[in-house]
Amino acid sequence: QVQLVEAGGGVVQPGTSLRLSCAASGFDFSSSAMHWVRQAPGKGLEWVAVISYDASDKYLADSVKGRFTISRDDSKNTLYLQMNNLRPDDTAVYFCARENYSGSGSRGPPKYFDHWGQGTLVTVSS
Amino acid sequence: DTPLTQSPPSLSASVGDTVNMTCRASQSVNIYLNWYQQKPGKSPKVLISATSILQSGVPSRFSGSGLGTDFTLTISGLQPEDFATYYCQQTYSLSSFGPGTKVEIK
């Protein structure tokens, strides 16, 4: 079955870096676009980043642009999020999610996130 | 960036009630609107994609409707396991989530 397992979270000081990973199994990872979504404690979901199946397209939310990088290693079935210059407001549980799509629409098949990891907590505090 | 708003932020309902919650987009997202359920300490679970497509394994008491900027998630006959927070998400332009509607027990 599809499984996504995040790792790499922890407590770090402001201005430092952290790399999260998301190990995928149970599906053809190299054919799937993947996303990172975060959730600050007691808050809602915030989309963070997406990488296309072939890594040719990468997009980041404005709140992390210039500080975070998304990448993937299909040989390891692993998704990454490199987070630099971390700030206290980056404190959150970070989820990876698989993109799926079905049906048709004016902008291509509608996309949704059909599988999510359990999340890894990143705490940025001095 | 396509901000989403959800209303109400929270609602209290009883088992068996029919509840409606809405999601409004700042600009048209066509049908590219999904709904997720999240319980405390758990990952979100997709309920409905593309406005109204019920995902496999999701009970038929959940339904979605709408088009453009205004969308509704309806739960017909609320069950104890439905008490959770519900988020809408647009995937018309990258992605963004609404702030959520928390469904609580009356």
Side-chain angles (χ1 to χ4, degrees):
Chain A
Q1 74 282 18
V2 173
Q3 201 166 12
L4 298 170
V5 179
E6 301 94 338
V11 180
V12 296
Q13 293 193 330
T16 61
S17 299
L18 205 58
R19 188 177 80 158
L20 306 182
S21 62
C22 168
S25 59
F27 66 102
D28 184 5
F29 179 74
S30 64
S31 295
S32 294
M34 298 294 296
H35 296 255
W36 287 100
V37 176
R38 69 184 180 182
Q39 186 169 37
K43 302 298 184 182
L45 302 170
E46 180 188 11
W47 176 80
V48 173
V50 59
I51 185 167
S52 60
Y53 74 98
D54 61 358
S56 61
D57 292 313
K58 304 174 186 179
Y59 298 97
L60 297 161
D62 289 343
S63 58
V64 305
K65 206 171 288 184
R67 300 187 299 122
F68 290 12
T69 303
I70 187 172
S71 63
R72 63 191 300 156
D73 185 341
D74 290 351
S75 70
K76 296 182 179 178
N77 283 353
T78 302
L79 173 73
Y80 299 101
L81 186 68
Q82 177 67 43
M83 305 185 295
N84 298 331
N85 191 21
L86 282 160
R87 308 186 307 215
D89 62 355
D90 294 318
T91 294
V93 173
Y94 285 74
F95 298 98
C96 62
R98 185 182 79 165
E99 178 182 293
N100 204 343
Y101 50 87
S102 66
S104 61
S106 60
R107 279 208 177 185
K111 303 169 185 176
Y112 58 99
F113 302 170
D114 66 343
H115 289 277
W116 298 63
Q118 84 289 347
T120 187
L121 177 61
V122 173
T123 302
V124 185
S125 174
S126 55
Chain B
D1 188 21
T2 305
L4 302 176
T5 57
Q6 289 186 245
S7 61
S10 65
L11 64 90
S12 294
S14 301
V15 172
D17 285 352
T18 292
V19 301
N20 293 287
M21 61 193 77
T22 65
C23 176
R24 177 163 289 176
S26 59
Q27 57 192 303
S28 176
V29 297
N30 197 272
I31 62 165
Y32 294 74
L33 195 287
N34 309 313
W35 291 95
Y36 297 82
Q37 176 193 68
Q38 187 182 33
K39 296 180 179 179
K42 301 294 187 182
S43 307
K45 171 189 173 184
V46 63
L47 302 174
I48 289 172
S49 65
T51 298
S52 60
I53 298 177
L54 195 67
Q55 289 301 296
S56 176
V58 176
S60 59
R61 62 181 179 271
F62 291 92
S63 63
S65 64
L67 177 65
T69 60
D70 294 293
F71 301 87
T72 300
L73 174 69
T74 299
I75 310 174
S76 302
L78 201 63
Q79 295 300 300
E81 59 268 30
D82 299 337
F83 293 96
T85 300
Y86 294 85
Y87 295 95
C88 59
Q89 175 205 30
Q90 68 79 21
T91 54
Y92 184 79
S93 175
L94 292 179
S95 180
S96 57
F97 290 90
T101 292
K102 186 175 183 179
V103 177
E104 300 174 304
I105 301 173
K106 182 183 283 186

